[in-house]
Amino acid sequence: VAAIRDNPFRLVRDVFGLGFATADRMARSMGIPPESPHRIQAGLLHTLRTAADEGHSFLPRSVLIENAAALLGLDSDLVEGSLESLAAAGEVQLLQGPCPEELGPAVYPSLLARSEAGLAGAIRRLQARRPRARFPDEARLALEEEARASGLLLEEEQRRCLQYALEEPISILTGGPGVGKTTLVLVLVRALERAGEKVRLCAPTGRAARRLAEVTGRPASTIHKLLGYNPHKRNFEHHRGNPIEADLLVVDEVSMLDIQLASQLFQALGPDTRVLLVGDADQLPSVGPGNVLGDLVSCGKIPVTRLTRIFRQGERSRIVENAHRILRGEFPEAGNDPKGDFFFIREEDPSRTLETILKVVTERIPAAFGLDPVEDVQVLAPMYRGEAGADRLNQELQARLVPPGPELKRGAFTFRKGDKVLQVRNDYDRELFNGDVGRVVQVNPQERSMMIRFDDRLIPCSKNDLDQVIPAFAVSVHRSQGSEFPAVVVPLTTQHYMMLRRNLLYTAVTRGRRLVVLVGSRKALELALKRAETGERWSGLAWRLGGGEGRRG
């Protein structure tokens, strides 16, 4: 108690869910002065944590000081002194080089500095050993035979990708939808298995791992499961001293991989393991900090194959065609065929956009395409706020799709039997992963608990687990990464201006398998197409690998 009275800001670190603003109010009520070193240090760390939540691995010193001073309402000179104290205590690390000289050194939270340095070091170690396929001749012969069996006439860029996967310690396969990434991976896996190599498949999330297993017909796991994460000890079975056994490791959906998980994965690879990273570099970056795929592609130190020719669906899918048009900043083409797969419904007013989406999801798509509005249709919104944001859409869709019944309230959310929900945290005890989608099958308001069906499993959700799920009739585009849905509906309004970017729209469109419907204003769509910037991120991975100045983007 005495320690808290002296420094209430320690609660920010010790108590989950208690933020800087709450601790700051407590400090004021206890008479702690605004210029207290404890307060300033807490403000600096809070500013770095906020930056990490936005995807940054570090902030330039000048940017950090400016933002923290504004938060604290203090002069920058006072804040400067406390930064030095944090560095001396090992709470942050300062590094010259990752950002432009005029902005000062990069300031990292120590954990992210260690993760980034660990990842770069692991990559350099793998590249120094330059492992080869154990049976290169047999593997090449098997590749040709598997390609023929799959009806795939290998073109130059595809042959180059396969050669890299056979010979290089690390290689990258990237490209948009319909260009044959999955087919190429399947040919590679089959061929190497015939040649006697041990191939392992993994992805960042449970949804992405299940999709990888479905399309390859091979076991695939989450990266956490591959590493043998122990939730009780909070550590991994596999690490540098006990590496993963594999001749080739295929990592899918690498755009979702943040700097911390990437570091753990690469540090757990043996010197003779080759790695093929597969992902779409034009999608949104990871939810967590870092810009792993973008930095690895741009650093110039790792072989990259970018597939460009469209193969899927006989090159006639408007979803695929329009995804590539969006990448080029071109307006998507929506056909008049009522049985087509891509539509743009113009509604200039946000309230009309909301009403139209409700009708599209609950009436028009089920009637025209025979799709279930809950199981098959997913609304992907740029933001949670706003008249056509995910929060409002969840409320309205629940009212139309879920019968009345016992309710369980948690914060702003109300759950009923029949609700569609999204798991937002990894829970290894219950084998649930961030991004898993389920249906509520039972609600017990008295015990404040629910039963949720995730795929073919019934999972109890106690009152202590309620903060792990959110309504999922509508979710943010970011939360949809690694997933595909039969039908996707996307609201586009100028209320979402801050989030409207080309790669966000591209990511949303590429989530749809059979149908994509955009609903909103032409101006909002044009804004998204014009804004090609990818949501700037401060990251030093490319610099650490020798690719020049740290990346912001």
Side-chain angles (χ1 to χ4, degrees):
V1 175
I4 293 172
R5 193 179 303 116
D6 178 58
N7 178 18
F9 296 99
R10 67 184 301 163
L11 291 172
V12 177
R13 180 180 303 171
D14 297 341
V15 180
F16 177 78
L18 193 147
F20 173 80
T22 302
D24 201 26
R25 285 195 297 271
M26 291 176 58
R28 284 200 303 271
S29 69
M30 296 163 64
I32 292 176
E35 63 275 10
S36 161
H38 292 313
R39 179 175 184 264
I40 298 173
Q41 290 176 20
L44 283 162
L45 293 174
H46 173 76
T47 303
L48 283 176
R49 278 194 296 270
T50 301
D53 289 342
E54 294 170 353
H56 302 291
S57 297
F58 68 83
L59 285 179
R61 180 175 184 144
S62 59
V63 175
L64 171 61
I65 295 299
E66 180 182 350
N67 292 353
L71 170 73
L72 296 163
L74 296 174
D75 187 77
S76 296
D77 292 338
L78 277 174
V79 179
E80 284 269 10
S82 288
L83 178 59
E84 300 301 331
S85 299
L86 285 175
E91 297 267 14
V92 301
Q93 291 187 26
L94 278 65
L95 186 64
Q96 297 285 350
C99 53
E101 187 175 343
E102 64 272 15
L103 295 179
V107 184
Y108 287 82
S110 290
L111 175 61
L112 296 186
R114 290 193 297 270
S115 295
E116 194 177 87
L119 175 56
I123 289 172
R124 285 195 296 268
R125 286 193 297 273
L126 284 175
Q127 290 180 314
R129 295 295 295 268
R130 300 195 64 80
R132 294 291 190 271
R134 290 187 295 163
F135 309 109
D137 293 335
E138 293 91 331
R140 285 187 175 83
L141 178 61
L143 282 172
E144 295 290 344
E145 292 177 355
E146 288 294 341
R148 284 195 296 271
S150 300
L152 182 63
L153 182 62
L154 292 175
E155 298 183 343
E156 182 182 349
E157 59 185 7
Q158 294 167 318
R159 289 181 184 277
R160 187 166 60 247
C161 169
L162 295 174
Q163 179 183 342
Y164 289 154
L166 282 180
E167 299 181 353
E168 296 289 340
I170 308 171
S171 58
I172 297 172
L173 171 61
T174 187
V179 297
K181 297 191 298 293
T182 300
T183 302
L184 205 55
V185 167
L186 184 55
V187 166
L188 175 66
V189 170
R190 287 174 176 169
L192 292 183
E193 287 175 345
R194 285 178 52 182
E197 292 218 326
K198 184 174 184 178
V199 181
R200 306 285 295 271
L201 307 176
C202 67
T205 68
R207 284 185 298 178
R210 284 193 293 273
R211 280 189 54 227
L212 182 59
E214 288 169 5
V215 298
T216 61
R218 305 293 191 278
S221 69
T222 63
I223 294 174
H224 279 85
K225 191 167 185 178
L226 178 73
L227 290 170
Y229 182 73
N230 186 321
H232 305 294
K233 295 182 179 179
R234 295 187 177 274
N235 61 13
F236 294 95
E237 175 189 349
H238 293 292
H239 44 75
R240 190 174 178 183
N242 180 31
I244 297 164
E245 292 184 5
D247 295 301
L248 177 71
L249 177 66
V250 178
V251 188
D252 198 18
E253 295 287 357
V254 181
S255 63
M256 304 173 68
L257 193 56
D258 65 39
I259 194 70
Q260 291 170 269
L261 188 54
S263 181
Q264 295 286 352
L265 176 63
F266 272 83
Q267 292 189 70
L269 298 179
D272 296 321
T273 296
R274 304 186 312 282
V275 186
L276 174 62
L277 304 174
V278 184
D280 189 343
D282 294 309
Q283 286 191 22
L284 290 172
S286 60
V287 175
N291 191 41
V292 174
L293 180 57
D295 283 356
L296 294 180
V297 169
S298 67
C299 73
K301 304 296 181 180
I302 298 172
V304 179
T305 303
R306 183 181 287 271
L307 302 181
T308 55
R309 183 180 170 190
I310 301 172
F311 292 96
R312 188 193 298 177
Q313 299 178 26
E315 304 187 17
R316 290 187 298 273
S317 165
R318 281 197 183 271
I319 295 175
V320 173
E321 290 175 0
N322 282 329
H324 288 270
R325 290 178 67 86
I326 289 167
L327 271 186
R328 298 191 296 268
E330 299 172 8
F331 213 83
E333 294 181 350
N336 297 318
D337 181 0
K339 294 297 182 181
D341 65 0
F342 193 99
F343 298 90
F344 175 41
I345 302 174
R346 290 187 62 174
E347 291 288 359
E348 300 300 324
D349 181 73
S351 62
R352 290 289 304 154
T353 298
L354 172 68
E355 290 302 320
T356 299
I357 288 173
L358 297 177
K359 288 183 180 179
V360 165
V361 172
T362 63
E363 300 174 18
R364 293 167 65 174
I365 290 179
F369 297 91
L371 296 175
D372 185 277
V374 179
E375 297 289 346
D376 299 327
V377 183
Q378 184 62 58
V379 180
L380 300 179
M383 296 176 65
Y384 277 90
R385 297 189 301 274
E387 198 154 5
D391 286 338
R392 177 72 184 278
L393 282 161
N394 273 314
Q395 293 172 5
E396 298 294 341
L397 286 168
Q398 182 193 52
R400 287 160 175 78
L401 295 172
V402 181
E407 295 185 344
L408 178 56
K409 294 183 182 293
R410 185 191 68 79
F413 303 140
T414 300
F415 297 104
R416 296 203 296 264
K417 179 181 177 181
D419 272 337
K420 186 176 182 179
V421 294
L422 180 76
Q423 179 79 13
V424 294
R425 289 216 309 267
N426 292 335
D427 186 330
Y428 301 99
D429 291 331
R430 297 188 298 159
E431 295 187 16
L432 292 174
F433 297 94
N434 184 6
D436 287 346
V437 176
R439 292 286 298 275
V440 176
V441 297
Q442 182 182 330
V443 170
N444 188 326
Q446 288 73 35
E447 296 184 4
R448 293 192 56 74
S449 65
M450 301 188 293
M451 189 68 72
I452 305 175
R453 189 185 77 241
F454 288 95
D455 295 325
D456 57 352
R457 298 189 302 144
L458 287 177
I459 307 294
C461 179
S462 71
K463 61 182 180 181
N464 296 325
D465 303 320
L466 289 176
D467 63 344
Q468 296 187 23
V469 293
I470 63 172
F473 296 109
V475 300
S476 68
V477 178
H478 237 128
R479 289 197 180 277
S480 73
Q481 286 179 279
S483 297
E484 282 189 346
F485 309 95
V488 163
V489 179
V490 185
L492 292 172
T493 77
T494 53
Q495 288 182 342
H496 299 153
Y497 171 80
M498 292 297 294
M499 294 299 294
L500 292 177
R501 292 188 177 90
R502 192 181 299 175
N503 66 339
L504 180 134
L505 178 60
Y506 171 79
T507 300
V509 167
T510 55
R511 300 307 90 200
R513 269 200 312 270
R514 291 175 52 188
L515 176 67
V516 171
V517 182
L518 309 182
V519 183
S521 72
R522 183 181 178 91
K523 182 178 180 181
L525 180 53
E526 288 173 345
L527 282 172
L529 293 171
K530 287 177 181 177
R531 297 177 69 187
E533 68 270 20
T534 56
E536 298 176 334
R537 291 188 169 197
W538 289 110
S539 167
L541 180 60
W543 174 81
R544 291 181 191 267
L545 292 171
E549 213 168 62
R551 177 185 177 93
R552 193 185 186 201

